[in-house]
Amino acid sequence: MLSRPKPGESEEDLLNFQSQFLAAGASAAAKVVRKADKRKGTTEHTVTPGQEADQGRDVVTLPEFPDLPPILTPGPTKKSKFAGQRVHFADEDPEDLLDQHDDHITAVFTKIIERDTSSAVITAPMPTGEAFPQVFHRSVIPSEDMQSPGKISIFAQKMAAKKAAEAAKPTSVPTTDPQRFPLSSVRNPQLDDEVSPSKPTGELNIDKPRLITGEGLQSSSGHEEAQRIHQENLEKLKALSQQDVIQEQGRLLSQLDPKLIAFLKSKKEGKATQDRKSLHGVHVKPRAVQPERPQPSSAASGLAPRTDAEKQSPVSVDDLPVKPQKQWVNMGVVEFEKLEWMKDLPQLRQKKTEKGMQARFSLKGELIPPNSEIPTHMGLHHHGEEAERAGYSLQELFHLTRSQFIQQRTLSLQVLGRIVHKAKQGDFASTLEGSVLRLLLDAGFLFLLRFSIDDATENVIAASVRTLHFLLVSPEDEEYLDMTFSWYQGTKTFPFLPNQEEEDDYDDDEDEVAEGKRTGKEHLKQSKEEKKSDADIARYDAIKGLLKTKLLHRLRYILEVVRPDPSVVLDILAILTRVARHSAAACSQLLDCPRLIETIVKEFLPIQWSAQMETGDPQPPSLHDVPCSAAMKFLRVVASSGRHAAARLLNTFDLKSRLCRFVAQEPQDLPLPREEAERLNTETFRLWAVAAGYGQACDLYRELYPVLVRILQALPHLIASSRTKDSLPRLSVQRAAAVVVLLTHVTQTAGCTAELEAQLHSAPEDSGQQIPPPPVSWAHVTGLLPLVEESLRRVLQEISNPSSWDALQPLTTASINFVASFYQAASRQPSLNTVTCNEEIERLAADIFLPFLHHPTTQSMWDLLRSCSVVCNPLSCSPLPESVPSIVTLSCTGDKPPLSLAGKKSPFSILTSVLNLICRITKIHKGLVNKFCFVLDHKGLQDYLQTISNAPTPHVTPASSWLLRHEYHLQYFVLSLLYKVNAVCPGLSQHASLCHSVSLALLGSLLPGSENLAHKLLSVFAFNSAFIPEGKEGGPEAADLSDILHITAETKPTAPVSAAVISATPSRGVLLEDAFRCLPSIRACYLAHFSYMNQALCNSQFIYQERTCFIQSAMLAEARGPILPSDWPFLPLINLYNKVTNAETKGNIVNTLPPDLVNTVTRNLQWILLLETWRPGILQNIPTAAKLVRLACVFLTGGDLFLEAPVHSYTAALLVHYCQPKGLESLVLDVPLPGLASFYDFYMDLLDQFEGVSFGDSLFGTFVLLPLLRRFDVKMKQAVFGERVSSLRSLSVSLKEFPIPLALYTSPPEDNLDLLRLYFRTLVTGALCQGRCPILYAVAIAHVNSFIFSQDHVTQDVDAARKSMLRKAYLLVDEELKKHLLYYKQTSSDSEVGFELYDQLPPIRLKYLKMVIEPQQKPK
């Protein structure tokens, strides 16, 4: 016996009871009685137990409704059963019929916009003679109609009576159903019975009424009544004459609404068409009605008229599609302003204006031209502003995203996503002003998407995620980064951090560059970022702003709980990959997000899955519980952020088992689509390669060694099949390249085993933690070289086949890099047999690489270097038109041109790998240098080096940094080969000077992560006398000869003499010779000042030495610019100046300086003079003003340091060089200088130092006088002649020592009245005299003389001051000063005073002088 439920039992217990009851098949204790349907008039009936058993369970069904409600479509509208009694015409409007069956997107907007009623027919109710309809009484329904037992409601009785009346209605009278006949534009003129003047009234042949059918009348004889009225109308028409008919027709046409007339004609034409069909029996296939130029309906007009004039124009009855009637209730007074929305749309007319118009977009995200005419049924007119224009503005789409209707929110987000996608493609660059993305982000688009992702509806979530994917992710960027994965150092990438970050408030002191201080700065920066709002952070970094909004938690919830469609999953994984590329900090947040990595690994990288998919399916129905290559790629990018992140992924999330699962089986054997299986296998090998790059997961190498060998053995077959243009061989080539990259990293790790074992055995027991040796040794990888060499031999033979050669480039590059890494690691092995190794290298060079280098295709690659170079063609990596600083992209959208560094025809990847291999094997076997030296003689290579030596330093952006790094690798290997050739065969090096210029240009351009290359350039190339042939081939003598013959200057100025040195200043040639001899000391000086980069240098050395066990991260440091500043030759001077300045700022007095201060400054000045003379192109990017400011640090550091003989000599030589005509022309002081906040403040400090320690030194005085040129700011002259007038006593620079022409100080004449008064005052008071300050004395005399004798039309105040100054000069007691002021003629370098005098005043000046003086002498 079945037990009954008891209190306290759960829902599961109740379900168990129910299942037991159904299984027993017992009869129910109660019967289910179904009540009769009152509307249908059915009786009650009882469900028998047998019937109930057949049904199994109670199911509630609703008629005319599906079992499950639709997700997004609204429910069906409720139909009234009284609608059939309403009066309607025989035919309905075709537009209404289309709207009823319209499945277009316009149905979405019907909730917020009025329906189109312009062509609707308004039928007044039947007149009853009463104010209100008659009240329905019970007595209307006779009692005999209610035959069914039981109580029946009045409504059910009325329905039963209606059905009985319909059943009794005669069927002989045909009714006109507009849906019975298809719409057509065919018209038969023979059936046109239109009443016209040309047709006699007696020929009327109309047997049926066309408009009124009688349907809806209460009487059953409604059709007969309509026919009777029709016959009466015909009789009246026959009684009229033709003239009366014409007169009556004209009266009706003048009184009726034109729209009503058009409606009547359309009804007549439709009726004629139906008559033609019924007569001739022709069946026409229905087709959509497409009017040539449909008038916009009032439903799309919105609320705003077009112009102000239309707003002010009154609305009349004729403008309304529905005419108000006085008989209508409460319509006695018509308020036309409230009915204005019913007007038709104004006609679209093109505005002739210079101002831009608001951009409007279609539902596909396309820009709609302002003058385009689009029908209203396309759904593009549902807006208020500019109602006649089709499309929606960004503001309207933003407004629609906040709609209460799901469809509208979804649609608006989809349209915005399409707009963003097309904007990033550059479709709007030539048609729109400004940036669409900038406008969207400034309007809060990022946070709008973030809020939309929190929506509870899956469709809104999908649209939001898709739009966010369009905004953040660039698929082309990912494709190019995957392509460069097999390049040299291709696994190392820069973070996607914006360059234009907001400036921090803390000071950036130079003495706090050390790592400990830097950590404090980063902590301070992080604390300040925490205080900023999300919007402030997103303004300069969109990813960082999104991370603060807990985007990762929401995306994890969507993946784990919502489980969306595959397209949404792929978009989310792509967004997460983009977040991982942002920075190491973002990867840390990804790893710390609760259950995010677990969900991705569990749901999208299962070891076992049951979903069977056909190989031809483009996408499975669900990505959950199915392996996904996008998930593996995301984990690979996260692992690239650091060795600790990779270790967490491998150990905490059990990725090793996934690696084994997807590597052990061939792609064609995986139950996945073939292309997806290839991509999954490729990403698995790439993830393993990244982990092996840290020395991790190498234990899997021994377990899966047979699988790897089998893949290597299959490479010849893959190379042969690559000649087809199928996509699968290309994916297989990428997979093979990933395998070779993995083996390269495993080989590098095995090369570190011997070193780590030696350190472990030699380290004391109490030493710190030691790095354990990896589980793979050198003996485990020695067997890989023959297999890779064989595949490399095969792939290099395909160079004659262009199609297969292009497809095999990833495998070619990876194989060459493997051979280079193998021999580099082999050279560090204690067990290396040098003789055997050299023999193998000779065989490799003779059999494989020398034939490859002599091939015509390879020789043509050198000619493409300049065309594909980023340094030579900076525009090739310029940002896209729609790029925004807060969202970093590589500007790869639309694919790179073929002739670019990442293009299809680029030779950089192959040539870089080849040069890398040549440098590695020639380092082991130096006898092969002679065989490879011919590479440097290629004309294409020489042209490329010549171009980059003179090219400016490229601007570092995220779009250029990843390409510049690969190009700098090629330049470095060319220089390395040149160094080896010069060391072995000095006579073969014919391009030493060119390569030295290239090395210096490369030194100032290297990016973060390449500190090892910078150190090599400083140590080997930059200060190597072998690369500066000018020092041995008469360069110093040529410099002296140039000075003697005045080749480089119009006049050879004499260098300023030191106040402490009596001997003559040495010539420039002597100074250059001394600098060339001191190159080793100069190198030591610069290496010491670059010691602050030791930590970065150590990390970079681990990367380039390929010591994988010591590498901390595959993500490089942020690339905001080159490693070294653009003015790095002045760095020792700048460091000394900053040290003194910072100490004085903190209140300390600097009395002692380093003992080798003189040597340090001298070496710095020697190097600058050498560069300015023999390598002027290196410093051409530094402004002349910046050079002089940095050179002036000599006077601001160390008190009387400038008085030391070597320092004074080199400083004077550099000053003379900068004061040449070309240098003075380029000297500009009114623009911001790099590293200097204000030049005026700097000049004030220089004046203070001059007054304190100058001792009247001419060199120091020349620096003070240089900024006082006539074209520079007047404030500095006013400071010297006003506040710092005491400095005039020490500016005793003689005219012969002064290297600048006086004409630059005196021309044009001074027009500043305040400065002229200061000039005159210092002259009259004796503060400025010719003996103490001859330069400024001559300048003041020239300007005052020009002013007092000027007769130009000026203001009254200036004229009074001019005449007063002239009278005072005439009355001076000092006759010499008076003579100079009145008789000055012009400047002259031959004169002792610097200017010439008139013997007597010119007549015009004499006349003017008498005119000014005589008025004061007459009263006397």
Side-chain angles (χ1 to χ4, degrees):
M1 182 176 180
L2 299 176
S3 61
R4 301 176 61 86
K6 299 178 181 179
E9 293 181 344
S10 63
E11 185 177 353
E12 295 182 357
D13 298 330
L14 296 178
L15 294 176
N16 292 332
F17 290 147
Q18 181 181 1
S19 60
Q20 294 175 6
F21 174 76
L22 295 176
S27 60
K31 297 181 179 180
V32 179
V33 179
R34 303 200 178 200
K35 300 292 290 181
D37 192 346
K38 296 180 179 180
R39 296 192 177 188
K40 296 184 178 180
T42 56
T43 59
E44 301 178 351
H45 65 279
T46 303
V47 180
T48 62
Q51 293 175 346
E52 185 179 3
D54 294 339
Q55 294 178 358
R57 59 191 179 97
D58 294 335
V59 180
V60 179
T61 60
L62 298 177
E64 300 180 1
F65 282 88
D67 295 337
L68 295 177
I71 298 177
L72 294 177
T73 57
T77 57
K78 195 172 184 180
K79 297 182 179 180
S80 173
K81 293 196 173 184
F82 294 98
Q85 297 181 0
R86 297 175 184 170
V87 178
H88 61 277
F89 295 101
D91 296 334
E92 296 292 340
D93 187 22
E95 187 173 355
D96 293 338
L97 292 177
L98 291 176
D99 291 339
Q100 292 176 8
H101 302 282
D102 187 17
D103 294 334
H104 199 262
I105 199 64
T106 53
V108 178
F109 298 94
T110 56
K111 298 282 186 177
I112 59 175
I113 303 298
E114 290 292 339
R115 183 174 58 87
D116 182 12
T117 58
S118 60
S119 59
V121 179
I122 306 299
T123 304
M126 294 181 59
T128 60
E130 299 179 0
F132 295 93
Q134 186 178 2
V135 180
F136 179 76
H137 293 279
R138 180 188 297 269
S139 59
V140 174
I141 303 178
S143 59
E144 57 269 19
D145 294 339
M146 297 180 293
Q147 301 296 335
S148 59
K151 184 178 180 181
I152 301 178
S153 65
I154 299 176
F155 182 81
Q157 297 175 22
K158 185 174 178 63
M159 291 295 100
K162 179 178 179 297
K163 289 183 177 181
E166 290 178 355
K169 185 182 300 184
T171 60
S172 60
V173 180
T175 59
T176 304
D177 188 0
Q179 298 182 1
R180 289 178 58 192
F181 304 103
L183 297 176
S184 176
S185 59
V186 180
R187 178 176 179 179
N188 189 356
Q190 299 177 359
L191 300 177
D192 190 357
D193 297 330
E194 181 182 359
V195 179
S196 61
S198 60
K199 188 172 183 178
T201 58
E203 298 179 3
L204 292 174
N205 185 17
I206 305 176
D207 56 349
K208 298 179 182 179
R210 292 177 174 173
L211 297 179
I212 302 176
T213 61
E215 292 183 2
L217 297 179
Q218 294 182 357
S219 175
S220 61
S221 59
H223 296 283
E224 298 178 357
E225 183 67 20
Q227 186 69 20
R228 186 183 61 79
I229 296 173
H230 176 62
Q231 293 297 333
E232 292 180 0
N233 292 335
L234 291 179
E235 292 176 359
K236 290 182 179 180
L237 287 175
K238 292 178 181 179
L240 296 176
S241 62
Q242 184 177 358
Q243 184 177 2
D244 295 337
V245 171
I246 295 174
Q247 182 179 359
E248 190 67 21
Q249 183 180 8
R251 185 180 64 84
L252 291 175
L253 291 176
S254 61
Q255 292 179 355
L256 294 178
D257 187 8
K259 296 181 180 179
L260 180 58
I261 296 174
F263 167 73
L264 295 175
K265 289 182 178 180
S266 65
K267 290 295 181 181
K268 178 185 67 61
E269 293 176 358
K271 182 66 177 179
T273 305
Q274 295 177 10
D275 292 342
R276 178 178 178 272
K277 294 177 185 178
S278 61
L279 290 175
H280 297 277
V282 178
H283 300 280
V284 183
K285 184 178 180 179
R287 60 178 180 178
V289 178
Q290 296 182 356
E292 295 180 359
R293 187 175 179 179
Q295 298 294 333
S297 62
S298 60
S301 61
L303 301 176
R306 180 183 175 92
T307 59
D308 296 338
E310 294 177 357
K311 289 182 180 180
Q312 298 175 1
S313 62
V315 181
S316 62
V317 179
D318 297 336
D319 297 332
L320 300 178
V322 179
K323 305 301 182 291
Q325 303 295 330
K326 293 184 179 180
Q327 293 81 5
W328 294 355
V329 180
N330 296 329
M331 290 297 291
V333 179
V334 180
E335 299 177 282
F336 292 101
E337 63 276 3
K338 295 184 179 180
L339 302 177
E340 189 176 4
W341 64 272
M342 301 176 63
K343 292 173 54 179
D344 287 340
L345 289 176
Q347 294 294 330
L348 182 65
R349 55 183 182 271
Q350 187 176 4
K351 294 182 178 180
K352 295 182 178 180
T353 176
E354 296 180 358
K355 297 182 179 180
M357 303 182 67
Q358 188 178 30
R360 293 193 172 274
F361 303 90
S362 68
L363 299 180
K364 295 181 180 180
E366 299 171 348
L367 183 66
I368 299 179
N371 56 351
S372 61
E373 298 183 3
I374 299 178
T376 56
H377 70 272
M378 300 300 294
L380 299 178
H381 292 81
H382 298 274
H383 51 80
E385 296 183 359
E386 299 179 326
E388 70 280 3
R389 288 187 58 196
Y392 302 97
S393 64
L394 296 177
Q395 181 180 0
E396 292 164 353
L397 291 172
F398 264 59
H399 179 73
L400 203 61
T401 56
R402 299 188 293 271
S403 173
Q404 296 182 357
F405 297 96
I406 297 173
Q407 296 93 332
Q408 293 178 357
R409 296 201 303 271
T410 304
L411 177 65
S412 59
L413 290 169
Q414 290 174 349
V415 175
L416 286 172
R418 298 182 187 115
I419 292 173
V420 170
H421 178 64
K422 291 184 178 296
K424 293 181 69 173
Q425 294 288 340
D427 295 351
F428 308 140
S430 59
T431 55
L432 292 181
E433 295 181 359
S435 172
V436 176
L437 294 184
R438 289 176 184 268
L439 182 62
L440 288 173
L441 293 177
D442 292 342
F445 182 57
L446 196 66
F447 294 99
L448 173 65
L449 295 179
R450 179 62 187 90
F451 300 151
S452 300
I453 292 177
D454 289 338
D455 200 286
T457 308
E458 290 189 21
N459 280 13
V460 178
I461 293 174
S464 305
V465 170
R466 186 62 175 169
T467 305
L468 186 63
H469 173 270
F470 282 140
L471 181 64
L472 298 180
V473 180
S474 178
E476 291 84 357
D477 293 352
E478 295 295 332
E479 291 178 5
Y480 278 96
L481 288 177
D482 293 343
M483 179 191 69
T484 58
F485 187 84
S486 59
W487 290 16
Y488 175 73
Q489 297 291 338
T491 57
K492 314 300 186 296
T493 58
F494 288 107
F496 281 26
L497 285 172
N499 275 346
Q500 298 182 358
E501 188 172 346
E502 290 185 350
E503 296 181 357
D504 299 308
D505 299 332
Y506 54 83
D507 298 331
D508 196 6
D509 300 336
E510 186 68 26
D511 59 339
E512 295 181 359
V513 182
E515 191 67 24
K517 299 290 184 180
R518 187 178 304 174
T519 304
K521 289 183 182 181
E522 292 177 355
H523 178 71
L524 179 61
K525 179 180 178 181
Q526 183 178 1
S527 62
K528 289 190 175 184
E529 283 185 351
E530 292 176 354
K531 298 179 182 178
K532 296 179 181 178
S533 63
D534 298 347
D536 293 336
I537 294 178
R539 188 177 299 111
Y540 65 88
D541 194 335
I543 298 295
K544 188 179 293 185
L546 286 173
L547 290 177
K548 289 199 67 176
T549 62
K550 295 186 177 181
L551 174 68
L552 302 181
H553 298 73
R554 179 58 181 172
L555 295 181
R556 188 267 310 160
Y557 175 83
I558 295 173
L559 292 176
E560 183 182 18
V561 179
V562 180
R563 302 172 71 88
D565 294 337
S567 60
V568 182
V569 172
L570 293 177
D571 290 341
I572 292 177
L573 292 176
I575 292 172
L576 293 177
T577 304
R578 174 61 182 83
V579 172
R581 291 198 183 278
H582 177 268
S583 61
C587 293
S588 178
Q589 294 187 41
L590 287 167
L591 290 170
D592 295 338
C593 181
R595 301 195 311 280
L596 175 61
I597 305 298
E598 292 94 330
T599 300
I600 293 176
V601 173
K602 177 183 177 182
E603 299 290 345
F604 307 110
L605 291 175
I607 296 179
Q608 296 180 355
W609 63 96
S610 59
Q612 298 292 332
M613 291 174 291
E614 298 294 335
T615 57
D617 293 344
Q619 194 176 73
S622 175
L623 282 184
H624 286 76
D625 299 327
V626 176
C628 179
S629 61
M632 188 68 74
K633 179 178 180 178
F634 162 69
L635 297 178
R636 186 248 298 180
V637 177
V638 173
S640 300
S641 63
R643 63 184 308 110
H644 298 292
R648 289 182 62 180
L649 290 175
L650 292 174
N651 301 319
T652 306
F653 304 105
D654 192 23
L655 275 188
K656 287 187 177 181
S657 60
R658 268 75 182 175
L659 294 179
C660 295
R661 171 66 180 87
F662 301 125
V663 167
Q665 199 169 4
E666 291 292 331
Q668 60 269 19
D669 298 334
L670 292 174
L672 292 172
R674 181 61 185 278
E675 292 189 3
E676 177 64 17
E678 290 280 355
R679 293 190 180 96
L680 176 63
N681 200 259
T682 302
E683 289 299 334
T684 305
F685 279 114
R686 287 174 178 171
L687 173 59
W688 190 5
V690 171
Y694 304 126
Q696 301 173 358
C698 290
D699 52 339
L700 300 179
Y701 168 77
R702 294 184 301 178
E703 299 177 10
L704 300 173
Y705 182 79
V707 177
L708 298 174
V709 172
R710 185 175 67 248
I711 295 175
L712 292 179
Q713 292 174 346
L715 288 182
H717 176 70
L718 175 63
I719 295 171
S721 63
S722 64
R723 299 180 181 179
T724 62
K725 296 184 178 180
D726 193 4
S727 59
L728 284 178
R730 294 183 181 272
L731 294 176
S732 301
V733 169
Q734 295 178 3
R735 171 176 173 265
V739 173
V740 176
V741 173
L742 164 66
L743 297 178
T744 303
H745 290 175
V746 172
T747 304
Q748 295 169 359
T749 304
C752 301
T753 304
E755 177 186 359
L756 292 176
E757 289 178 350
Q759 293 179 1
L760 188 63
H761 293 311
S762 61
E765 296 181 358
D766 56 348
S767 61
Q769 184 178 3
Q770 297 290 329
I771 299 177
V776 58
S777 63
W778 185 249
H780 294 142
V781 299
T782 53
L784 298 176
L785 183 62
L787 298 175
V788 177
E789 281 188 4
E790 180 61 26
S791 63
L792 181 59
R793 184 194 309 274
R794 296 287 186 91
V795 76
L796 291 181
Q797 292 174 357
E798 297 293 327
I799 192 172
S800 302
N801 190 354
S803 60
S804 61
W805 173 251
D806 294 339
L808 292 171
Q809 279 200 11
L811 180 58
T812 307
T813 305
S815 301
I816 297 175
N817 290 332
F818 172 84
V819 177
S821 298
F822 183 89
Y823 282 109
Q824 183 181 15
S827 63
R828 299 198 302 262
Q829 300 306 311
S831 59
L832 176 66
N833 188 341
T834 307
V835 177
T836 305
C837 182
N838 289 344
E839 292 177 354
E840 293 178 357
I841 291 176
E842 290 178 358
R843 178 185 52 80
L844 178 69
D847 296 346
I848 299 179
F849 286 102
L850 286 177
F852 171 72
L853 292 174
H854 287 289
H855 196 275
T857 304
T858 307
Q859 294 180 358
S860 64
M861 291 182 184
W862 302 103
D863 299 331
L864 296 176
L865 287 176
R866 187 168 58 176
S867 301
C868 300
S869 168
V870 176
V871 180
C872 303
N873 306 284
L875 296 179
S876 63
C877 58
S878 57
L880 297 175
E882 284 289 347
S883 61
V884 290
S886 60
I887 301 177
V888 176
T889 62
L890 303 183
S891 299
C892 297
T893 303
D895 291 338
K896 290 289 186 179
L899 288 179
S900 61
L901 195 142
K904 296 181 180 178
K905 297 183 179 180
S906 174
F908 275 89
S909 61
I910 297 293
L911 295 182
T912 302
S913 302
V914 170
L915 291 172
N916 175 33
L917 177 62
I918 293 175
C919 293
R920 299 291 168 83
I921 62 178
T922 52
K923 183 178 180 181
I924 301 174
H925 193 332
K926 296 181 174 56
L928 294 177
V929 174
N930 295 334
K931 295 184 179 181
F932 290 103
C933 64
F934 70 93
V935 173
L936 301 174
D937 297 331
H938 282 289
K939 186 178 183 303
L941 179 60
Q942 295 300 321
D943 294 341
Y944 169 71
L945 295 177
Q946 186 67 40
T947 305
I948 63 176
S949 64
N950 299 323
T953 303
H955 184 57
V956 178
T957 62
S960 64
S961 58
W962 70 290
L963 294 174
L964 287 172
R965 181 169 178 267
H966 293 293
E967 183 169 359
Y968 293 156
H969 287 159
L970 182 137
Q971 297 178 14
Y972 174 77
F973 289 134
V974 170
L975 295 175
S976 299
L977 181 59
L978 178 67
Y979 175 75
K980 298 178 186 299
V981 171
N982 183 76
V984 177
C985 307
L988 297 178
S989 178
Q990 303 174 1
H991 313 285
S993 179
L994 174 60
C995 291
H996 186 251
S997 298
V998 172
S999 65
L1000 294 177
L1002 178 61
L1003 180 60
S1005 304
L1006 287 174
L1007 301 177
S1010 301
E1011 289 82 4
N1012 179 60
L1013 304 185
H1015 184 267
K1016 289 289 186 65
L1017 291 175
L1018 285 172
S1019 304
V1020 178
F1021 296 96
F1023 307 101
N1024 193 336
S1025 59
F1027 292 96
I1028 310 178
E1030 292 86 353
K1032 301 177 181 179
E1033 299 174 358
E1037 293 79 3
D1040 287 340
L1041 182 61
S1042 174
D1043 295 340
I1044 294 173
L1045 299 178
H1046 313 295
I1047 294 177
T1048 60
E1050 297 178 358
T1051 58
K1052 171 61 176 69
T1054 304
V1057 180
S1058 173
V1061 180
I1062 302 177
S1063 59
T1065 303
S1067 64
R1068 188 159 61 109
V1070 175
L1071 295 176
L1072 287 172
E1073 186 177 359
D1074 185 37
F1076 182 79
R1077 187 171 53 253
C1078 297
L1079 281 175
S1081 302
I1082 296 174
R1083 175 178 55 191
C1085 172
Y1086 277 88
L1087 288 176
H1089 280 84
F1090 290 141
S1091 59
Y1092 68 91
M1093 296 190 303
N1094 284 340
Q1095 183 61 42
L1097 174 62
C1098 184
N1099 296 332
S1100 179
Q1101 286 177 343
F1102 292 150
I1103 293 176
Y1104 284 97
Q1105 293 174 2
E1106 299 178 350
R1107 301 167 66 187
T1108 56
C1109 296
F1110 301 91
I1111 296 176
Q1112 298 299 319
S1113 175
M1115 185 175 290
L1116 303 173
E1118 181 182 358
R1120 294 186 178 274
I1123 300 172
L1124 301 179
S1126 59
D1127 57 349
W1128 66 268
F1130 296 89
L1131 191 59
L1133 278 177
I1134 297 174
N1135 289 343
L1136 291 174
Y1137 170 74
N1138 290 335
K1139 184 175 182 179
V1140 173
T1141 304
N1142 293 335
E1144 292 177 351
T1145 302
K1146 297 177 182 178
N1148 301 328
I1149 300 176
V1150 182
N1151 294 324
T1152 60
L1153 289 170
D1156 58 344
L1157 176 63
V1158 176
N1159 291 332
T1160 301
V1161 175
T1162 302
R1163 302 295 174 254
N1164 192 181
L1165 296 175
Q1166 286 176 338
W1167 179 242
I1168 296 173
L1169 180 62
L1170 190 146
L1171 292 179
E1172 290 287 3
T1173 305
W1174 292 334
R1175 302 289 183 268
I1178 303 302
L1179 302 176
Q1180 64 181 356
N1181 295 329
I1182 306 175
T1184 305
K1187 296 178 182 179
L1188 289 171
V1189 167
R1190 284 147 179 77
L1191 192 59
C1193 294
V1194 174
F1195 305 101
L1196 299 174
T1197 304
D1200 56 353
L1201 173 66
F1202 63 94
L1203 296 178
E1204 298 290 338
V1207 176
H1208 193 279
S1209 300
Y1210 283 99
T1211 306
L1214 287 171
L1215 179 61
V1216 170
H1217 177 77
Y1218 294 141
C1219 291
Q1220 293 179 2
K1222 291 183 179 180
L1224 293 176
E1225 289 177 3
S1226 61
L1227 182 61
V1228 181
L1229 300 180
D1230 55 353
V1231 296
L1233 299 177
L1236 194 63
S1238 171
F1239 183 82
Y1240 179 80
D1241 296 340
F1242 178 82
Y1243 186 68
M1244 292 299 102
D1245 295 340
L1246 191 65
L1247 282 178
D1248 292 338
Q1249 189 77 358
F1250 178 77
E1251 293 178 3
V1253 298
S1254 67
F1255 303 106
D1257 183 70
S1258 299
L1259 179 62
F1260 203 164
T1262 303
F1263 269 90
V1264 174
L1265 292 172
L1266 188 57
L1268 302 180
L1269 292 176
R1270 172 66 181 88
R1271 70 175 188 267
F1272 294 150
D1273 192 0
V1274 72
K1275 293 181 180 180
M1276 291 179 286
K1277 305 182 189 67
Q1278 290 176 345
V1280 172
F1281 286 91
E1283 303 172 1
R1284 310 299 178 90
V1285 68
S1286 58
S1287 61
L1288 297 176
R1289 301 178 181 179
S1290 304
L1291 285 171
S1292 56
V1293 182
S1294 64
L1295 293 171
K1296 294 183 178 181
E1297 296 174 340
F1298 195 58
I1300 306 172
L1302 281 179
L1304 298 179
Y1305 288 85
T1306 59
S1307 179
E1310 184 61 58
D1311 56 357
N1312 188 282
L1313 183 58
D1314 295 335
L1315 181 58
L1316 289 169
R1317 286 173 176 169
L1318 291 176
Y1319 283 158
F1320 188 75
R1321 187 181 68 180
T1322 54
L1323 289 172
V1324 173
T1325 57
L1328 179 62
C1329 58
Q1330 198 275 334
R1332 294 180 177 177
C1333 188
I1335 303 298
L1336 293 183
Y1337 179 82
V1339 172
I1341 290 292
H1343 286 301
V1344 173
N1345 176 268
S1346 176
F1347 177 69
I1348 61 179
F1349 283 106
S1350 174
Q1351 301 181 29
D1352 299 335
H1353 293 285
V1354 293
T1355 62
Q1356 186 176 359
D1357 296 341
V1358 176
D1359 184 65
R1362 180 171 57 189
K1363 292 179 179 180
S1364 173
M1365 198 176 297
L1366 178 58
R1367 284 191 291 267
K1368 292 178 181 179
Y1370 181 77
L1371 298 176
L1372 283 175
V1373 179
D1374 189 347
E1375 293 296 334
E1376 184 179 5
L1377 178 59
K1378 175 181 177 180
K1379 182 178 180 181
H1380 290 168
L1381 287 174
L1382 297 180
Y1383 289 89
Y1384 171 84
K1385 181 178 181 181
Q1386 63 183 5
T1387 59
S1388 175
S1389 58
D1390 298 332
S1391 176
E1392 295 181 358
V1393 294
F1395 52 86
E1396 297 178 359
L1397 299 175
Y1398 286 109
D1399 295 335
Q1400 57 182 3
L1401 286 177
I1404 187 173
R1405 287 195 173 192
L1406 182 60
K1407 180 180 179 181
Y1408 179 74
L1409 178 62
K1410 291 180 179 181
M1411 181 186 68
V1412 175
I1413 299 301
E1414 286 179 357
Q1416 290 190 351
Q1417 294 180 351
K1418 285 182 180 180
K1420 297 181 180 179

